[in-house]
Every structure is written in structure tokens, then in C-alpha cells.
Amino acid sequence: SSWERHPAGDELVMLLSGRATFVLELPGGARDVVLEEPGAYALVPRGVWHTARTDSSCRVLFVTPGEGTEHRPADG
């Protein structure tokens, strides 16, 4: 329901269980990164707006450079 970006560095997102899709808002358009099996990961580049979509419960490990993180609503 919201988007975020991290100006302090890249974010590593690793799937531990379940399934998740991360949507990255890149200059050429949105890109879906689908994580379907444990150990699958995505690297979200510094400053890129992103959000997650899930259809069922999942567990995800985030390694995030949190300083300066920004948020915006999904419709913004």
C-alpha cells in the first residue's frame, strides 16, 4: 500500500519462505522482480522507488541502509 526508497545505499531483499513480487520504479518503467523460492533475492538500487506485492504470507529478510528512507502512498 506504500512505496519507499533509500538514498543512503542499495537494499538487499531475500526471500525466506512463500512468494513475493517487488516492483521497482525505474527510469524506463516499472520492473517486477518475482521471488519464488527460498534464497532468491533482489538488489534494489539506491534511490529507486519500490514496493512489494504478495498473494499469501511470506517471510523476507531486508538488509536496508535506513538513513533518510522516504515513503509515499501507493497512488502517489
Side-chain angles (χ1 to χ4, degrees):
S1 65
S2 67
W3 292 73
E4 66 179 22
R5 68 178 172 183
H6 312 288
D10 298 344
E11 177 178 40
L12 175 69
V13 180
M14 180 180 289
L15 185 69
L16 301 177
S17 66
R19 183 176 189 277
T21 300
F22 286 83
V23 183
L24 310 181
E25 191 176 81
L26 299 170
R31 176 175 163 229
D32 289 355
V33 178
V34 181
L35 306 180
E36 297 183 293
E37 57 185 63
Y41 68 92
L43 188 62
V44 180
R46 170 194 312 246
V48 169
W49 285 105
H50 58 284
T51 191
R53 305 218 193 289
T54 60
D55 294 330
S56 60
S57 70
C58 64
R59 290 180 22 164
V60 180
L61 172 68
F62 297 89
V63 180
T64 308
E67 185 176 352
T69 293
E70 299 174 68
H71 295 91
R72 73 173 198 217
D75 60 355

